[in-house]
mmCIF file of all heavy atoms in Angstrom:
data_model
loop_
_atom_site.group_PDB
_atom_site.id
_atom_site.type_symbol
_atom_site.label_atom_id
_atom_site.label_comp_id
_atom_site.label_asym_id
_atom_site.label_seq_id
_atom_site.Cartn_x
_atom_site.Cartn_y
_atom_site.Cartn_z
ATOM 1 N N GLY A 1 159.845 128.618 63.768
ATOM 2 C CA GLY A 1 159.499 128.227 62.405
ATOM 3 C C GLY A 1 160.478 127.204 61.827
ATOM 4 O O GLY A 1 160.069 126.246 61.177
ATOM 5 N N TRP A 2 161.787 127.457 62.087
ATOM 6 C CA TRP A 2 162.799 126.508 61.629
ATOM 7 C C TRP A 2 162.564 125.116 62.279
ATOM 8 O O TRP A 2 162.644 124.092 61.621
ATOM 9 C CB TRP A 2 164.185 126.998 61.989
ATOM 10 C CG TRP A 2 164.644 128.148 61.173
ATOM 11 C CD1 TRP A 2 164.100 128.694 60.050
ATOM 12 C CD2 TRP A 2 165.823 128.927 61.439
ATOM 13 N NE1 TRP A 2 164.805 129.764 59.600
ATOM 14 C CE2 TRP A 2 165.900 129.928 60.445
ATOM 15 C CE3 TRP A 2 166.823 128.914 62.433
ATOM 16 C CZ2 TRP A 2 166.976 130.845 60.412
ATOM 17 C CZ3 TRP A 2 167.878 129.787 62.391
ATOM 18 C CH2 TRP A 2 167.903 130.795 61.387
ATOM 19 N N VAL A 3 162.348 125.144 63.605
ATOM 20 C CA VAL A 3 162.165 123.883 64.354
ATOM 21 C C VAL A 3 161.006 123.057 63.811
ATOM 22 O O VAL A 3 161.092 121.862 63.595
ATOM 23 C CB VAL A 3 162.049 124.185 65.867
ATOM 24 C CG1 VAL A 3 161.560 122.931 66.605
ATOM 25 C CG2 VAL A 3 163.365 124.697 66.467
ATOM 26 N N ASP A 4 159.879 123.751 63.587
ATOM 27 C CA ASP A 4 158.701 123.059 63.025
ATOM 28 C C ASP A 4 159.007 122.524 61.636
ATOM 29 O O ASP A 4 158.594 121.382 61.279
ATOM 30 C CB ASP A 4 157.534 124.053 62.966
ATOM 31 C CG ASP A 4 157.050 124.412 64.343
ATOM 32 O OD1 ASP A 4 157.476 123.848 65.351
ATOM 33 O OD2 ASP A 4 156.200 125.370 64.410
ATOM 34 N N PHE A 5 159.751 123.273 60.828
ATOM 35 C CA PHE A 5 160.057 122.888 59.457
ATOM 36 C C PHE A 5 160.932 121.627 59.439
ATOM 37 O O PHE A 5 160.648 120.649 58.728
ATOM 38 C CB PHE A 5 160.715 124.035 58.741
ATOM 39 C CG PHE A 5 161.091 123.730 57.295
ATOM 40 C CD1 PHE A 5 160.105 123.483 56.394
ATOM 41 C CD2 PHE A 5 162.404 123.739 56.919
ATOM 42 C CE1 PHE A 5 160.468 123.223 55.042
ATOM 43 C CE2 PHE A 5 162.748 123.458 55.610
ATOM 44 C CZ PHE A 5 161.774 123.207 54.638
ATOM 45 N N VAL A 6 162.003 121.637 60.238
ATOM 46 C CA VAL A 6 162.895 120.494 60.152
ATOM 47 C C VAL A 6 162.283 119.281 60.817
ATOM 48 O O VAL A 6 162.617 118.100 60.458
ATOM 49 C CB VAL A 6 164.298 120.808 60.833
ATOM 50 C CG1 VAL A 6 164.918 122.010 60.163
ATOM 51 C CG2 VAL A 6 164.148 121.026 62.356
ATOM 52 N N GLU A 7 161.354 119.493 61.738
ATOM 53 C CA GLU A 7 160.687 118.300 62.396
ATOM 54 C C GLU A 7 159.838 117.529 61.399
ATOM 55 O O GLU A 7 159.600 116.327 61.595
ATOM 56 C CB GLU A 7 159.797 118.799 63.515
ATOM 57 C CG GLU A 7 159.026 117.767 64.294
ATOM 58 C CD GLU A 7 159.959 116.833 65.079
ATOM 59 O OE1 GLU A 7 161.173 117.166 65.279
ATOM 60 O OE2 GLU A 7 159.469 115.768 65.545
ATOM 61 N N ARG A 8 159.420 118.139 60.308
ATOM 62 C CA ARG A 8 158.630 117.504 59.282
ATOM 63 C C ARG A 8 159.456 116.616 58.373
ATOM 64 O O ARG A 8 158.932 115.850 57.566
ATOM 65 C CB ARG A 8 157.840 118.528 58.450
ATOM 66 C CG ARG A 8 156.779 119.298 59.241
ATOM 67 C CD ARG A 8 155.961 120.179 58.323
ATOM 68 N NE ARG A 8 154.942 120.947 59.044
ATOM 69 C CZ ARG A 8 155.079 122.172 59.401
ATOM 70 N NH1 ARG A 8 156.187 122.822 59.143
ATOM 71 N NH2 ARG A 8 154.099 122.773 60.071
ATOM 72 N N SER A 9 160.751 116.744 58.472
ATOM 73 C CA SER A 9 161.650 115.917 57.603
ATOM 74 C C SER A 9 161.732 114.494 58.184
ATOM 75 O O SER A 9 161.248 114.215 59.225
ATOM 76 C CB SER A 9 163.053 116.553 57.548
ATOM 77 O OG SER A 9 163.739 116.311 58.771
ATOM 78 N N ASN A 10 162.395 113.592 57.406
ATOM 79 C CA ASN A 10 162.517 112.250 57.834
ATOM 80 C C ASN A 10 163.874 112.020 58.579
ATOM 81 O O ASN A 10 164.249 110.896 58.791
ATOM 82 C CB ASN A 10 162.487 111.342 56.588
ATOM 83 C CG ASN A 10 161.096 111.347 55.967
ATOM 84 O OD1 ASN A 10 160.099 111.386 56.647
ATOM 85 N ND2 ASN A 10 161.100 111.298 54.617
ATOM 86 N N GLU A 11 164.523 113.139 58.944
ATOM 87 C CA GLU A 11 165.773 113.031 59.615
ATOM 88 C C GLU A 11 165.680 113.444 61.075
ATOM 89 O O GLU A 11 164.791 114.162 61.461
ATOM 90 C CB GLU A 11 166.835 113.902 58.886
ATOM 91 C CG GLU A 11 167.108 113.551 57.468
ATOM 92 C CD GLU A 11 167.963 114.515 56.815
ATOM 93 O OE1 GLU A 11 167.523 115.630 56.419
ATOM 94 O OE2 GLU A 11 169.208 114.246 56.696
ATOM 95 N N ARG A 12 166.646 113.034 61.848
ATOM 96 C CA ARG A 12 166.784 113.483 63.213
ATOM 97 C C ARG A 12 167.673 114.718 63.249
ATOM 98 O O ARG A 12 168.858 114.614 62.863
ATOM 99 C CB ARG A 12 167.364 112.351 64.097
ATOM 100 C CG ARG A 12 167.451 112.694 65.591
ATOM 101 C CD ARG A 12 167.935 111.437 66.356
ATOM 102 N NE ARG A 12 168.187 111.677 67.762
ATOM 103 C CZ ARG A 12 167.242 111.629 68.698
ATOM 104 N NH1 ARG A 12 166.007 111.299 68.347
ATOM 105 N NH2 ARG A 12 167.517 111.816 69.955
ATOM 106 N N TRP A 13 167.169 115.851 63.707
ATOM 107 C CA TRP A 13 167.938 117.119 63.693
ATOM 108 C C TRP A 13 168.409 117.401 65.115
ATOM 109 O O TRP A 13 167.807 117.000 66.097
ATOM 110 C CB TRP A 13 167.043 118.231 63.172
ATOM 111 C CG TRP A 13 166.986 118.294 61.682
ATOM 112 C CD1 TRP A 13 166.354 117.391 60.874
ATOM 113 C CD2 TRP A 13 167.509 119.287 60.854
ATOM 114 N NE1 TRP A 13 166.504 117.788 59.584
ATOM 115 C CE2 TRP A 13 167.182 118.954 59.513
ATOM 116 C CE3 TRP A 13 168.233 120.477 61.093
ATOM 117 C CZ2 TRP A 13 167.615 119.734 58.430
ATOM 118 C CZ3 TRP A 13 168.605 121.246 59.999
ATOM 119 C CH2 TRP A 13 168.288 120.912 58.708
ATOM 120 N N TYR A 14 169.549 118.111 65.131
ATOM 121 C CA TYR A 14 170.162 118.515 66.392
ATOM 122 C C TYR A 14 170.347 120.038 66.377
ATOM 123 O O TYR A 14 170.308 120.681 65.373
ATOM 124 C CB TYR A 14 171.529 117.859 66.552
ATOM 125 C CG TYR A 14 171.484 116.318 66.541
ATOM 126 C CD1 TYR A 14 171.488 115.630 65.307
ATOM 127 C CD2 TYR A 14 171.322 115.592 67.682
ATOM 128 C CE1 TYR A 14 171.401 114.219 65.296
ATOM 129 C CE2 TYR A 14 171.236 114.208 67.678
ATOM 130 C CZ TYR A 14 171.283 113.549 66.480
ATOM 131 O OH TYR A 14 171.225 112.184 66.426
ATOM 132 N N TYR A 15 170.574 120.540 67.594
ATOM 133 C CA TYR A 15 170.925 121.982 67.674
ATOM 134 C C TYR A 15 172.204 122.157 68.487
ATOM 135 O O TYR A 15 172.473 121.372 69.445
ATOM 136 C CB TYR A 15 169.776 122.791 68.309
ATOM 137 C CG TYR A 15 169.510 122.563 69.731
ATOM 138 C CD1 TYR A 15 170.173 123.348 70.756
ATOM 139 C CD2 TYR A 15 168.594 121.608 70.227
ATOM 140 C CE1 TYR A 15 169.910 123.157 72.073
ATOM 141 C CE2 TYR A 15 168.329 121.428 71.560
ATOM 142 C CZ TYR A 15 169.030 122.179 72.467
ATOM 143 O OH TYR A 15 168.730 122.028 73.820
ATOM 144 N N LEU A 16 172.941 123.146 68.122
ATOM 145 C CA LEU A 16 174.120 123.587 68.901
ATOM 146 C C LEU A 16 173.729 124.914 69.535
ATOM 147 O O LEU A 16 173.359 125.892 68.840
ATOM 148 C CB LEU A 16 175.331 123.801 67.962
ATOM 149 C CG LEU A 16 176.513 124.632 68.515
ATOM 150 C CD1 LEU A 16 177.114 123.974 69.750
ATOM 151 C CD2 LEU A 16 177.576 124.816 67.429
ATOM 152 N N LYS A 17 173.732 124.986 70.819
ATOM 153 C CA LYS A 17 173.478 126.230 71.555
ATOM 154 C C LYS A 17 174.785 126.746 72.131
ATOM 155 O O LYS A 17 175.436 126.046 72.890
ATOM 156 C CB LYS A 17 172.445 125.981 72.673
ATOM 157 C CG LYS A 17 172.158 127.282 73.491
ATOM 158 C CD LYS A 17 171.064 127.043 74.525
ATOM 159 C CE LYS A 17 170.857 128.254 75.436
ATOM 160 N NZ LYS A 17 170.458 129.472 74.708
ATOM 161 N N MET A 18 175.140 128.001 71.787
ATOM 162 C CA MET A 18 176.386 128.569 72.238
ATOM 163 C C MET A 18 176.076 129.844 73.035
ATOM 164 O O MET A 18 175.211 130.635 72.644
ATOM 165 C CB MET A 18 177.308 128.922 71.077
ATOM 166 C CG MET A 18 177.749 127.725 70.265
ATOM 167 S SD MET A 18 179.026 128.126 69.024
ATOM 168 C CE MET A 18 178.031 129.099 67.857
ATOM 169 N N ASP A 19 176.771 129.984 74.120
ATOM 170 C CA ASP A 19 176.592 131.191 74.988
ATOM 171 C C ASP A 19 177.981 131.635 75.419
ATOM 172 O O ASP A 19 178.820 130.858 75.871
ATOM 173 C CB ASP A 19 175.799 130.760 76.211
ATOM 174 C CG ASP A 19 175.315 131.960 77.063
ATOM 175 O OD1 ASP A 19 175.448 133.110 76.537
ATOM 176 O OD2 ASP A 19 174.896 131.787 78.206
ATOM 177 N N VAL A 20 178.292 132.920 75.219
ATOM 178 C CA VAL A 20 179.596 133.439 75.479
ATOM 179 C C VAL A 20 179.760 133.665 77.041
ATOM 180 O O VAL A 20 178.827 134.211 77.641
ATOM 181 C CB VAL A 20 179.830 134.754 74.751
ATOM 182 C CG1 VAL A 20 181.192 135.357 75.074
ATOM 183 C CG2 VAL A 20 179.770 134.513 73.242
ATOM 184 N N GLU A 21 180.847 133.275 77.540
ATOM 185 C CA GLU A 21 181.079 133.439 78.965
ATOM 186 C C GLU A 21 181.305 134.880 79.326
ATOM 187 O O GLU A 21 182.191 135.531 78.809
ATOM 188 C CB GLU A 21 182.337 132.550 79.351
ATOM 189 C CG GLU A 21 182.670 132.635 80.851
ATOM 190 C CD GLU A 21 183.888 131.784 81.190
ATOM 191 O OE1 GLU A 21 184.983 132.287 81.022
ATOM 192 O OE2 GLU A 21 183.683 130.620 81.571
ATOM 193 N N LYS A 22 180.451 135.386 80.269
ATOM 194 C CA LYS A 22 180.621 136.731 80.781
ATOM 195 C C LYS A 22 180.857 137.779 79.696
ATOM 196 O O LYS A 22 181.813 138.524 79.766
ATOM 197 C CB LYS A 22 181.713 136.771 81.826
ATOM 198 C CG LYS A 22 181.498 135.833 83.019
ATOM 199 C CD LYS A 22 180.219 136.158 83.765
ATOM 200 C CE LYS A 22 179.876 135.125 84.775
ATOM 201 N NZ LYS A 22 178.530 135.348 85.372
ATOM 202 N N PHE A 23 179.982 137.770 78.719
ATOM 203 C CA PHE A 23 180.257 138.505 77.504
ATOM 204 C C PHE A 23 180.559 140.015 77.750
ATOM 205 O O PHE A 23 181.616 140.514 77.345
ATOM 206 C CB PHE A 23 179.006 138.413 76.571
ATOM 207 C CG PHE A 23 179.086 139.201 75.307
ATOM 208 C CD1 PHE A 23 180.222 139.107 74.472
ATOM 209 C CD2 PHE A 23 178.027 140.017 74.896
ATOM 210 C CE1 PHE A 23 180.268 139.853 73.281
ATOM 211 C CE2 PHE A 23 178.100 140.735 73.721
ATOM 212 C CZ PHE A 23 179.203 140.643 72.923
ATOM 213 N N PHE A 24 179.679 140.711 78.410
ATOM 214 C CA PHE A 24 179.910 142.157 78.622
ATOM 215 C C PHE A 24 181.090 142.398 79.567
ATOM 216 O O PHE A 24 181.801 143.374 79.384
ATOM 217 C CB PHE A 24 178.619 142.829 79.181
ATOM 218 C CG PHE A 24 177.524 142.904 78.137
ATOM 219 C CD1 PHE A 24 176.422 142.038 78.197
ATOM 220 C CD2 PHE A 24 177.549 143.815 77.130
ATOM 221 C CE1 PHE A 24 175.411 142.087 77.280
ATOM 222 C CE2 PHE A 24 176.584 143.933 76.151
ATOM 223 C CZ PHE A 24 175.437 143.034 76.257
#
């Protein structure tokens, strides 16, 4: 829902994907 919403704007949006190393 967020992705669809920001895509309708006139700006170029980016995402930061973070994943913890060997979390458990």
Side-chain angles (χ1 to χ4, degrees):
W2 289 350
V3 167
D4 293 351
F5 180 64
V6 302
E7 181 66 14
R8 294 187 180 99
S9 73
N10 294 322
E11 298 175 281
R12 184 174 175 85
W13 279 67
Y14 301 86
Y15 70 89
L16 165 61
K17 179 177 173 61
M18 297 187 291
D19 189 13
V20 178
E21 181 178 85
K22 301 300 172 188
F23 177 50
F24 290 103

